[in-house]
Amino acid sequence: MLAMAFAICATLFVSPSQAAAQNAWTREHEAARNMVSAPVLLAQIGFLSDSLCQGRATGTRGNVEAAFWIQRHFAQAGLLKFGDSYARRIYAGNGTFGRNIIGMLPGSTHFSRDRYVIVGAHFDHLGILNGKMYPGADANASGTVAMINLANMLSAMRKIGKTHDSNIIFVAFDGKEADMAGSKAFWRMIENGQLKDPQTGAVITRRQISLMVNIDQIGSTLSPLRPDRKDFMIMLGTHSLKPVKRELLQACNRMFAIDLDISLTYYGSENFTNMFYRLSDQRVFVDNGIPAVLFTSGITMNTNKTRDTPQTLDTEIMRKRILLMYHWIEKML
């Protein structure tokens, strides 16, 4: 029994040298980590879930309000426009038009600029159906807000001289609820040579895209991996990464002492993992051979319900998820 107690303590103990290293690693990213807080996350999700945005259905006034809000945040983060506007019109079918919001954070000027990482989240939702508004706080105001905060964090590090080999393209997709019209339209831009680097004017090709990161429903703790822990996150698609990168999320989780409960499958089911991996905007990239991952906290009892409100989310846990996504993306650039 004594030996077992010592073994348990050994697994939990962090040596002074390890703790010092964690503190040093964290301090290096202090400018980024200070950009995100639980109260701000709640306020941002609150705006996108408010009656002003009317559930953000593609083609509605509320969706336009959300799109303008995202564009303001892209501008505040210093993202470059693709052309004269962040917004690109898309057709969502049945006579409905929407807009993707696209901006870029440039990579280092000391390295080749022909490598791109895409970070995306859809901002549309169901809107008003039968007189009832569907706020879509988790689905997917949470993912949109996470993406915006990642842009702020990476931009903050760039301002103090921390740059990367890759350019980062941030995309708020519209039309996900319309058969992923936004992500499909974005891919057509790439295929047709219409996506051009804002700095160089050069066409961005599919071969230059090294990774796509999608964030869809990242704010809830209602469907935990284990009943005794609500601080969890799911990441799908690690099989699309190079083998040397497949353990990086767990390494960042330990290195920066975030300590989330992580699953690389959808609740341990191979069938559900394969199905859920294709249910969001990463699918068009997967189908075209681009390494792609999905970050999520899973479907809950509130998904696509009128009760999907900001008050049902845990923004402190969401903050930890954003920190881990930031550190992982930063290491992948």
Side-chain angles (χ1 to χ4, degrees):
M1 182 67 70
L2 186 60
M4 182 179 295
F6 276 124
I8 293 172
C9 288
T11 63
L12 298 177
F13 178 71
V14 177
S15 71
S17 61
Q18 289 172 318
Q22 286 175 342
N23 289 336
W25 292 326
T26 300
R27 282 196 302 272
E28 181 185 347
H29 297 272
E30 189 173 8
R33 293 169 69 99
N34 288 343
M35 295 295 294
V36 58
S37 71
V40 171
L41 294 176
L42 184 61
Q44 292 173 333
I45 292 170
F47 176 85
L48 291 175
S49 307
D50 188 76
S51 58
L52 178 67
C53 293
Q54 301 175 340
R56 309 185 306 280
T58 302
T60 66
R61 173 65 182 270
N63 179 280
V64 172
E65 292 286 353
F68 279 133
W69 184 87
I70 295 165
Q71 290 178 77
R72 289 195 296 271
H73 279 273
F74 274 23
Q76 290 167 10
L79 303 189
L80 303 181
K81 299 175 183 176
F82 285 80
D84 59 1
S85 173
Y86 291 116
R88 284 299 181 101
R89 198 174 193 228
I90 68 162
Y91 181 62
N94 297 317
T96 300
F97 291 88
R99 62 210 43 81
N100 289 335
I101 314 301
I102 312 169
M104 190 182 87
L105 186 67
S108 172
T109 57
H110 300 294
F111 298 94
S112 173
R113 294 182 180 177
D114 61 355
R115 192 172 115 136
Y116 300 83
V117 168
I118 297 168
V119 179
H122 79 90
F123 73 94
D124 65 302
H125 193 51
L126 301 178
I128 297 174
L129 300 175
N130 299 319
K132 296 180 180 180
M133 190 185 85
Y134 289 72
D138 195 25
N140 188 33
S142 67
T144 303
V145 165
M147 178 196 63
I148 286 170
N149 278 267
L150 288 168
N152 287 333
M153 295 167 80
L154 289 158
S155 178
M157 293 300 288
R158 190 176 193 276
K159 288 175 182 175
I160 62 172
K162 175 70 171 177
T163 56
H164 304 91
D165 296 3
S166 299
N167 304 289
I168 313 169
I169 300 173
F170 293 91
V171 190
F173 295 113
D174 200 353
K176 189 264 184 178
E177 304 298 345
D179 194 27
M180 290 177 270
S183 51
K184 290 177 179 178
F186 182 79
W187 184 259
R188 284 194 297 272
M189 286 182 66
I190 297 171
E191 284 191 323
N192 296 335
Q194 297 170 334
L195 190 67
K196 298 181 180 180
D197 188 294
Q199 287 190 308
T200 67
V203 171
I204 299 171
T205 69
R206 59 192 294 167
R207 287 181 294 182
Q208 294 171 319
I209 300 171
S210 61
L211 175 67
M212 193 275 169
V213 179
N214 190 34
I215 310 169
D216 197 344
Q217 297 191 198
I218 201 69
S220 178
T221 57
L222 295 177
S223 298
L225 302 172
R226 295 183 289 176
D228 59 332
R229 288 195 65 174
K230 66 175 185 176
D231 55 338
F232 72 99
M233 185 166 69
I234 298 169
M235 176 189 185
L236 304 182
T238 52
H239 65 277
S240 71
L241 306 177
K242 295 179 180 178
V244 71
K245 299 287 189 179
R246 293 176 186 172
E247 302 298 323
L248 185 57
L249 189 70
Q250 293 94 324
C252 289
N253 197 33
R254 295 188 299 269
M255 184 185 305
F256 296 99
I258 297 171
D259 299 324
L260 287 174
D261 192 14
I262 294 174
S263 177
L264 303 182
T265 68
Y266 197 74
Y267 298 96
S269 167
E270 182 178 353
N271 289 336
F272 278 115
T273 297
N274 294 335
M275 180 179 70
F276 202 79
Y277 183 50
R278 298 183 57 80
L279 287 180
S280 191
D281 290 299
Q282 72 279 356
R283 187 174 76 187
V284 68
F285 299 89
V286 173
D287 288 345
N288 284 281
I290 305 296
V293 299
L294 169 68
F295 287 106
T296 185
S297 52
I299 293 174
T300 76
M301 66 186 80
N302 293 335
T303 300
N304 293 341
K305 303 291 195 303
T306 57
R307 59 178 180 264
D308 182 11
T309 63
Q311 292 71 33
T312 66
L313 307 185
D314 189 327
T315 51
E316 186 52 55
I317 299 299
M318 181 177 166
R319 175 183 174 274
K320 293 178 68 174
R321 290 167 178 160
I322 292 171
L323 291 178
L324 183 53
M325 285 188 285
Y326 160 79
H327 286 300
W328 182 83
I329 291 170
E330 196 267 339
K331 294 289 182 289
M332 292 291 291
L333 294 174

